[in-house]
């Protein structure tokens, strides 16, 4: 990660670590727009983070971007700043304000001024509300005429969203694991913290392995995008989204098991993260969809090509 | 823990191509490919030694080739991807050699390392005992000082390839654990020439009906003073550091890879989703393994990272033959693939045993998380 990326990541973490995290997510899920959070993050330059410096942006790498998205995921991503960051990365020239991606199931679409579609940047003129299972807004939008001559390809948007969600899932899963560790060290049964029991230790160690694999897969994908661009990093992004989907099932079930009843209460913050894992795995292509793509490719290339194909994708960074 | 992917040095593309071209000259059957680093073939190890692909990172004065650790990793990956029979030099190259290089005397280094690098000397690891498995500090084989050196008595068990090896590096007790002190104190490592009188090696048949591991009995075995490896009493620290080498390599991810490449050719397009999941996991775990190799190359001691990668890697290696089997009816499975799967299914229980059990590794990961 670059120095500036590192600084921005730390800044966002401090900003969102204000003790109001769960309250924010509750407000969002009740239908509120968190204007002050959006403004604070926009002021960090996040919406322009992936735009090159000569186009007025911050010029961060995709490796920096996934680090930022992981931090946002650790805080439940209460505003669509990651989506705006991605949308601007896909545009020839960036757009100010709240931006969403696509016209259907548009993340936070009701709060967006513009949507980025294949046709270009289009003003949002109305919406039919929709929610994913995490109760995040996913709206069907009515859009005005495009303000630009064309927009990103559906493939680029899907790849970008897959990487974004995989990175956020890495953050959400990491946070859920941290919560479970903290709980296991505090909650006492049979006269000692439940984290002293090997059954709990082994279970959470398994989650730690999956979360580490997911973080690695996201890092590998970002490295590939930095080296070859989004459209030529489809394999690595597919891998990241597949691992994300698989890690989500395991991490969510195990951390809930550790928390038992308290973890499924509305009052506890855990569900904000497990419900996001269950939602985000379906967005930007499910693990099934991505596995079908790279699996078909592997089968058509044949077993003898498999290893050579994997090593031929090795990236050398400057 | 972070698993950043290292840049493979420029020259590795050509090196990879060389190894690949060399391996293309072999046409191993499923029995060899299934065993790979668990298969013993001195002739093949000598061929690798001639090409400079053993002891790659060691100094030239000890028979090494002064290549980087990542170059070595590239060679290991290529060997494992083909299921090459590398067991005769694997332990020497992976852990015994590095241990001797780090802690051995000048004389030990000159006597032993060139032989390993040439593919001539085979090593085994004397850790487990009949009453000491995961609880290694409880081991009871002991070495007592004599006028000329040491006298060893006791028994090692589950020692892979002891019956085919030249040397064992044995962890034994040289003084009792101090009362109320650390159970890990008082252990030392010895470089044992397996031809020494008093050593009895009895192969133990495994469930495949093969002899791969052994019981090794030490009955008043007299060793010279210079058989001590490293510092007396520092055996635990030395052996633990050695485990970081043992646990970190691509052999913890790729052991059953030939089942995936062969399986892909046997399934139809309807298997795309499960194949895609396996490929995604393979690519990710291979990256994590490379990342640990990169940390070692930078002089770090990624013992905990290696434990994590071994755990997720072993689970994948173990699952892979089952996953391929689940895609094909036995009668539709080509005979060579069927033979490969039969062997791998029987070999795979050892993946999460050797080099530290799954439970021990997860205990290490849990401690790293802040539990216990």
């Amino acid at each position: 990660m670059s120095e500036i990326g590192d600084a921005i990541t730390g800044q966002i973490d401090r900003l969102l670590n204000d003790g109001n995290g769960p309250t924010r997510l509750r407000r969002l899920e009740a239908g509120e727009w968190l204007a002050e959070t959006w403004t604070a993050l926009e002021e960090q330059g996040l919406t322009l983070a992936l735009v090159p410096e000569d186009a007025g942006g911050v010029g961060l790498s995709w490796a920096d971007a996934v680090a930022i998205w992981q931090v946002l995921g650790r805080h439940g991503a209460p505003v669509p700043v990651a989506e705006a960051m991605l949308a601007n990365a896909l545009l020839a020239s960036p757009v100010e304000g709240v931006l969403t991606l696509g016209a259907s199931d548009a993340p936070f679409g009701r709060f967006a001024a513009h949507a980025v579609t294949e046709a270009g940047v289009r003003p949002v003129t109305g919406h039919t509300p929709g929610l994913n299972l995490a109760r995040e807004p996913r709206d069907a939008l009515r859009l005005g005429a495009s303000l630009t001559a064309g927009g990103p390809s559906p493939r680029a948007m899907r790849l970008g969203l897959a990487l974004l969600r995989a990175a956020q899932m890495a953050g959400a899963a990491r946070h859920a694991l941290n919560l479970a560790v903290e709980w296991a060290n505090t909650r006492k049964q049979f006269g000692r913290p439940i984290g002293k029991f090997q059954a709990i230790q082994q279970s959470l160690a398994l989650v730690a392995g999956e979360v580490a694999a997911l973080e690695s897969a996201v890092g590998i994908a970002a490295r590939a995008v930095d080296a070859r661009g989004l459209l030529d990093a489809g394999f690595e992004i597919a891998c990241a989204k597949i691992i994300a989907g698989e890690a989500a099932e395991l991490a969510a079930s195990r951390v809930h098991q550790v928390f038992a009843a308290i973890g499924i209460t509305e009052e506890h913050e855990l569900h904000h993260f497990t419900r996001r894992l269950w939602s985000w795995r379906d967005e930007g292509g499910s693990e099934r969809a991505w596995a079908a793509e790279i699996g078909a490719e592997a089968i058509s290339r044949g077993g003898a090509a498999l290893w050579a194909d994997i090593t031929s994708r090795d990236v050398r960074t400057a | 823990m972070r698993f950043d992917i290292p840049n493979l040095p420029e020259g590795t593309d050509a090196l990879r191509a060389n190894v690949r071209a060399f391996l293309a000259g072999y046409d191993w059957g499923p029995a060899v490919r299934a065993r790979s680093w668990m298969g013993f073939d001195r002739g093949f190890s000598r061929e690798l030694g001639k090409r400079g692909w053993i002891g790659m990172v060691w100094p030239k004065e000890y028979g090494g080739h002064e290549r980087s650790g990542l170059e070595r990793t590239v060679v290991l990956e290529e060997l494992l991807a083909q299921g090459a029979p590398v067991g005769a030099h694997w332990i020497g190259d992976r852990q015994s050699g590095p241990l001797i290089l780090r802690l051995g005397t000048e004389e030990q280094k000159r006597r032993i390392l060139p032989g390993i690098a040439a593919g001539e000397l085979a090593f085994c690891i004397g850790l487990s005992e009949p009453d000491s498995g995961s609880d290694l500090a409880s081991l009871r084989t002991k070495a007592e000082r004599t006028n000329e050196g040491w006298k060893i008595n006791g028994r090692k068990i589950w020692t892979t390839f002891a019956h085919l090896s030249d040397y064992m590096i044995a962890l034994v007790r040289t003084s009792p654990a101090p009362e109320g002190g650390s159970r890990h104190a008082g252990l030392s490592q010895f470089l044992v020439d397996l031809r020494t009188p008093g050593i009895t090696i009895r192969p133990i048949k495994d469930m495949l009906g093969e002899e791969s591991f052994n019981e090794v009995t030490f009955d008043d075995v007299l060793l010279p003073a210079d058989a001590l490896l490293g510092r007396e009493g520092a055996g635990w620290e030395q052996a633990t550091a050695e485990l970081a080498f043992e646990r970190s390599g691509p052999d913890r991810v790729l052991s059953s890879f030939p089942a995936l490449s062969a399986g892909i050719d046997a399934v139809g397009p309807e298997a795309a989703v499960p194949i895609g999941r396996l490929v995604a996991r393979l690519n990710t775990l291979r990256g994590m393994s490379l990342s640990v190799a990169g940390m070692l190359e930078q002089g770090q001691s990624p013992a905990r990272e290696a434990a994590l990668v071994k755990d997720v890697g072993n689970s994948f290696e173990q699952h892979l033959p089952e996953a391929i089997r689940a895609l094909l009816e036995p009668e539709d499975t080509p005979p060579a693939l069927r033979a490969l799967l039969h062997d791998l299914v029987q070999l795979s229980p050892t993946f999460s045993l050797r080099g530290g059990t799954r439970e021990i590794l997860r205990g290490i990961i849990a401690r790293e998380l802040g539990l216990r």
Side-chain angles (χ1 to χ4, degrees):
Chain A
M1 207 184 343
S2 69
E3 243 170 71
I4 176 152
D6 210 22
I8 293 180
T9 311
Q11 185 60 26
I12 300 164
D13 200 29
R14 280 189 293 279
L15 213 144
L16 293 173
N17 231 338
D18 57 358
N20 296 322
T23 312
R24 257 194 304 268
L25 297 175
R26 223 166 277 134
R27 284 168 59 199
L28 162 70
E29 291 180 24
E32 215 179 304
W33 169 244
L34 302 162
E36 72 289 354
T37 308
W38 170 269
T39 307
L41 292 173
E42 195 181 32
E43 277 171 5
Q44 298 297 319
L46 278 199
T47 58
L48 303 178
L50 275 170
V51 175
E53 281 178 278
D54 55 22
V58 188
L60 293 188
S61 67
W62 290 83
D64 291 323
V66 296
I68 291 171
W69 293 342
Q70 284 178 74
V71 171
L72 291 169
R74 283 214 291 275
H75 295 281
V79 287
V81 69
E83 283 84 347
M85 187 170 155
L86 171 64
N88 275 324
L90 301 176
L91 291 172
S93 52
V95 177
E96 300 264 326
V98 184
L99 257 184
T100 190
L101 290 158
S104 61
D105 292 320
F108 298 73
R110 70 191 70 170
F111 303 121
H114 298 95
V116 172
T117 70
E118 193 180 3
V121 179
R122 301 172 65 184
V124 178
T125 57
H127 73 273
T128 308
L131 296 171
N132 63 14
L133 78 80
R135 297 193 282 282
E136 295 176 299
R138 295 291 185 263
D139 304 320
L141 302 182
R142 287 185 291 284
L143 302 172
S146 177
L147 308 175
T148 58
S153 69
R155 176 76 178 169
M157 283 195 279
R158 183 176 165 88
L159 284 166
L161 188 60
L163 180 57
L164 190 169
R165 290 292 179 249
Q168 286 183 329
M169 289 171 77
R174 176 60 70 187
H175 184 63
L177 173 60
N178 289 345
L179 289 174
V181 168
E182 202 181 300
W183 173 252
N185 281 331
T186 335
R187 167 73 170 171
K188 285 192 178 137
Q189 288 291 279
F190 306 102
R192 49 187 177 147
I194 58 172
K196 294 275 181 205
F197 293 101
Q198 289 192 356
I200 302 286
Q201 293 173 4
Q202 297 276 313
S203 187
L204 290 180
L206 185 60
V207 177
E210 281 295 292
V211 175
L214 172 53
E215 289 166 346
S216 303
V218 166
I220 293 168
R223 198 175 146 86
V225 181
D226 278 325
R228 301 195 293 264
L230 207 49
L231 291 173
D232 288 322
F235 175 78
E236 288 84 354
I237 292 174
C239 289
K241 195 61 177 27
I242 293 165
I243 300 295
E246 294 178 352
E249 180 191 350
L250 182 108
S253 70
R254 299 276 170 152
V255 297
H256 272 297
Q257 190 68 20
V258 168
F259 271 101
I262 192 85
I264 56 166
T265 59
E266 157 68 19
E267 197 181 339
H268 200 281
E269 71 168 296
L270 179 66
H271 67 84
H272 294 294
F273 296 90
T274 51
R275 286 187 299 113
R276 274 161 181 73
L277 287 174
W278 291 321
S279 290
W280 293 343
R281 63 182 173 173
D282 288 341
E283 299 176 357
S286 68
E287 63 270 28
R288 183 188 160 79
W290 286 112
E293 180 176 317
I294 65 167
E297 170 78 8
I299 292 169
S300 81
R301 296 271 302 148
L306 176 64
W307 179 252
D309 285 350
I310 282 177
T311 56
S312 74
R313 294 190 193 96
D314 284 342
V315 164
R316 254 175 222 123
T317 56
Chain B
M1 278 194 219
R2 283 184 60 97
F3 294 91
D4 293 324
I5 309 296
N7 283 329
L8 293 175
E10 289 287 344
T12 50
D13 294 344
L15 175 62
R16 198 185 279 287
N18 279 345
V19 180
R20 212 170 270 175
F22 165 70
L23 294 175
Y26 288 87
D27 185 22
W28 293 295
V32 170
R33 289 187 198 272
R35 280 159 189 76
S36 189
W37 62 279
M38 294 161 286
F40 199 98
D41 181 343
R42 278 190 191 258
F44 183 70
S45 290
R46 279 192 205 103
E47 288 299 318
L48 293 181
K50 275 185 212 155
R51 283 163 180 78
W53 293 335
I54 307 176
M56 285 179 71
V57 302
W58 308 343
K60 287 185 177 159
E61 58 176 319
Y62 304 125
H65 305 279
E66 303 185 2
R67 309 289 289 260
S68 75
L70 291 170
E71 288 178 299
R72 175 177 172 267
T73 300
V74 163
V75 173
L76 300 187
E77 283 190 337
E78 291 302 315
L79 292 166
L80 295 167
Q82 296 305 323
V86 290
H89 70 272
W90 200 251
I91 292 167
D93 178 73
R94 182 181 69 187
Q95 63 197 96
S96 308
L99 185 71
I100 293 167
L101 183 66
R102 197 160 55 88
L103 301 165
T105 63
E106 189 58 30
E107 189 279 326
Q108 287 169 334
K109 288 192 251 187
R110 291 195 183 282
R111 177 157 52 92
I112 302 288
L113 294 178
I116 299 179
E120 299 285 349
L121 287 185
F123 271 72
C124 60
I125 313 163
L127 292 175
S128 293
E129 296 185 3
D131 295 323
S132 302
S134 289
D135 182 12
L136 196 53
S138 69
L139 58 80
R140 291 201 299 241
T141 299
K142 63 175 183 198
E144 297 164 282
R145 274 190 186 280
T146 65
N147 287 337
E148 290 78 34
W150 302 88
K151 184 170 76 180
I152 301 195
N153 277 289
R155 200 185 309 167
K156 294 290 176 184
I157 200 165
W158 320 131
T159 317
T160 300
F161 297 144
H163 62 313
L164 303 173
S165 294
D166 304 290
Y167 284 92
M168 169 193 283
I169 291 180
L171 182 66
V172 307
R173 193 157 278 293
T174 41
S175 58
E179 196 92 16
S182 168
R183 300 168 65 232
H184 303 148
L187 299 172
S188 305
Q189 284 184 303
F190 286 89
L191 181 56
V192 182
D193 184 335
L194 290 170
R195 293 166 305 185
T196 313
I199 297 177
T200 310
I201 302 174
R202 186 178 68 86
I204 302 166
K205 263 203 180 140
D206 62 25
M207 67 174 166
L208 286 100
E210 296 169 2
E211 293 174 347
S212 65
F213 54 16
N214 298 269
E215 181 186 59
V216 183
T217 309
F218 296 82
D219 191 6
D220 285 339
V221 173
L222 298 174
L223 296 181
D226 70 355
L228 178 71
L229 183 58
R231 204 160 48 77
E232 183 182 347
W236 181 264
E237 294 74 22
Q238 292 175 196
T240 310
E242 184 187 340
L243 281 174
F245 291 106
E246 179 171 357
R247 287 172 180 162
S248 61
D251 42 344
R252 302 309 183 178
V253 173
L254 294 174
S255 301
S256 55
F257 176 81
L260 182 56
S261 47
I264 278 176
D265 288 333
V267 300
E270 69 287 349
V273 172
I275 292 293
R277 285 177 183 264
L278 294 172
V279 170
R281 198 150 278 265
L282 170 75
N283 194 63
T284 304
L285 299 181
R286 184 243 172 184
M288 294 174 86
S289 179
L290 275 181
S291 156
V292 176
M295 294 181 218
L296 282 169
E297 177 75 356
Q298 287 173 2
Q300 302 170 23
S301 311
R304 292 163 306 180
E305 288 84 353
L308 185 140
V309 175
K310 180 178 182 303
D311 182 43
V312 290
N314 286 166
S315 295
F316 171 73
E317 298 178 321
Q318 230 162 36
H319 171 62
L320 186 51
E322 293 292 334
I324 296 299
R325 181 187 162 274
L327 300 175
L328 291 161
E329 287 301 332
E331 56 272 24
D332 301 333
T333 309
L337 176 58
R338 208 167 163 186
L340 185 70
L341 293 178
H342 280 181
D343 280 356
L344 277 171
V345 164
Q346 295 176 81
L347 289 161
S348 65
T350 71
F351 297 166
S352 53
L353 299 174
R354 48 174 82 225
T357 66
R358 167 174 294 142
E359 289 70 22
I360 290 291
L361 298 176
R362 290 191 183 160
I364 294 170
I365 299 166
R367 202 178 319 137
E368 165 75 12
L369 282 175
L371 294 168
R372 47 201 297 182

